[in-house]
Amino acid sequence: AQRVTQPEKLLSVFKGAPVELKCNYSYSGSPELFWYVQYSRQRLQLLLRHISRESIKGFTADLNKGETSFHLKKPFAQEEDSAMYYCALSGARGNQFYFGTGTSLTVIP
Amino acid sequence: KAGVTQTPRYLIKTRGQQVTLSCSPISGHRSVSWYQQTPGQGLQFLFEYFSETQRNKGNFPGRFSGRQFSNSRSEMNVSTLELGDSALYLCASSLVTGSYEQYFGPGTRLTVT
């Protein structure tokens, strides 16, 4: 069965410290993995997708098929990174997305 | 370009009633997906409509239904409301079905008492 697991509901780091938000998935097939972010009082929006292999706002995420993980990383956290982060998976049927329960990141000044 | 709009933004209903939520996608977008967001379960996919046809469906009971009109606007209906249906209902639009570029609306907060 398809599942996305984000083990940390809450994560706090100090400004300038590295941050890693964990995401593990289970899917029988070749999924597409994404990270979505929701800043305070804003709408949910796409942060990055694994296929593009790009860095957005300093964040990167590498798909590890062996460990079925797609952790989100940033070497130096900024206060503006404080937000809710959701890991998501899209299967072969396109727009059927499976989201994790989210991790609330707080960057302490 | 205007974003995705959802109406109403807040709704309070009584158990057993039914409710209809509306979503207007970004102009030109033909795909609309619906999600239920709760603190315990996160976002759960309800269904997706494209060109007035349901293309994908999540694992929700038949009390949850939807439709899409020729102008791509979509409605979601929940019949025989239960307390557990209290949630934030989000819709997202994209140009075509199967696109990862979904644009989310602000959501409708449904409270069932």
Side-chain angles (χ1 to χ4, degrees), chain A residues 9 32 34 36 38 43-46 49 84 86 90 93-102, chain B residues 4 31 33 35 37 39-43 45 48 55-57 94 98-100 102 104-106:
Chain A
K9 290 191 73 122
E32 277 202 57
F34 307 86
Y36 281 78
Q38 188 168 27
R43 303 181 183 195
L44 192 63
Q45 59 186 283
L46 177 68
R49 55 191 293 238
M84 192 75 175
Y86 293 93
S90 175
R93 298 181 70 191
N95 250 12
Q96 188 162 1
F97 276 72
Y98 300 90
F99 282 81
T101 50
Chain B
V4 177
S31 171
S33 297
Y35 296 86
Q37 185 178 22
Q41 300 293 322
L43 277 89
F45 174 79
E48 183 220 354
R55 295 302 178 104
N56 291 297
K57 189 177 191 307
S94 55
S99 171
Y100 66 90
Q102 299 184 90
F104 283 83

Side-chain angles (χ1 to χ4, degrees), chain A:
Chain A
Q2 302 86 348
R3 177 177 288 180
V4 177
T5 303
Q6 293 179 252
E8 305 137 329
K9 290 191 73 122
L10 303 169
L11 184 63
S12 295
V13 299
F14 285 99
K15 178 182 172 181
V19 60
E20 180 180 68
L21 291 88
K22 291 183 168 47
C23 172
N24 290 88
Y25 68 91
S26 63
Y27 184 78
S28 54
S30 296
E32 277 202 57
L33 275 296
F34 307 86
W35 277 97
Y36 281 78
V37 61
Q38 188 168 27
Y39 300 101
S40 178
R41 288 185 290 278
Q42 292 188 29
R43 303 181 183 195
L44 192 63
Q45 59 186 283
L46 177 68
L47 179 62
L48 55 81
R49 55 191 293 238
H50 89 269
I51 281 182
S52 60
R53 300 184 66 82
E54 57 191 343
S55 173
I56 304 292
K57 300 185 178 183
F59 284 98
T60 58
D62 290 318
L63 178 61
N64 186 322
K65 292 186 179 180
E67 296 182 359
T68 59
S69 68
F70 188 57
H71 303 327
L72 183 68
K73 301 177 184 179
K74 185 169 182 177
F76 308 103
Q78 303 299 314
E79 289 178 65
E80 56 265 29
D81 296 329
S82 295
M84 192 75 175
Y85 291 81
Y86 293 93
C87 182
L89 174 158
S90 175
R93 298 181 70 191
N95 250 12
Q96 188 162 1
F97 276 72
Y98 300 90
F99 282 81
T101 50
T103 297
S104 177
L105 174 66
T106 299
V107 180
I108 305 165

Side-chain angles (χ1 to χ4, degrees), chain B residues 57-103:
Chain B
K57 189 177 191 307
N59 190 27
F60 277 81
R63 301 185 297 106
F64 291 81
S65 63
R67 59 178 175 169
Q68 187 180 35
F69 302 94
S70 58
N71 62 358
S72 295
R73 189 177 70 85
S74 177
E75 286 183 347
M76 190 192 92
N77 184 274
V78 187
S79 62
T80 321
L81 283 166
E82 300 178 0
L83 295 179
D85 297 332
S86 294
L88 181 68
Y89 289 89
L90 294 171
C91 80
S93 78
S94 55
L95 271 170
V96 295
T97 186
S99 171
Y100 66 90
E101 289 222 60
Q102 299 184 90
Y103 295 85

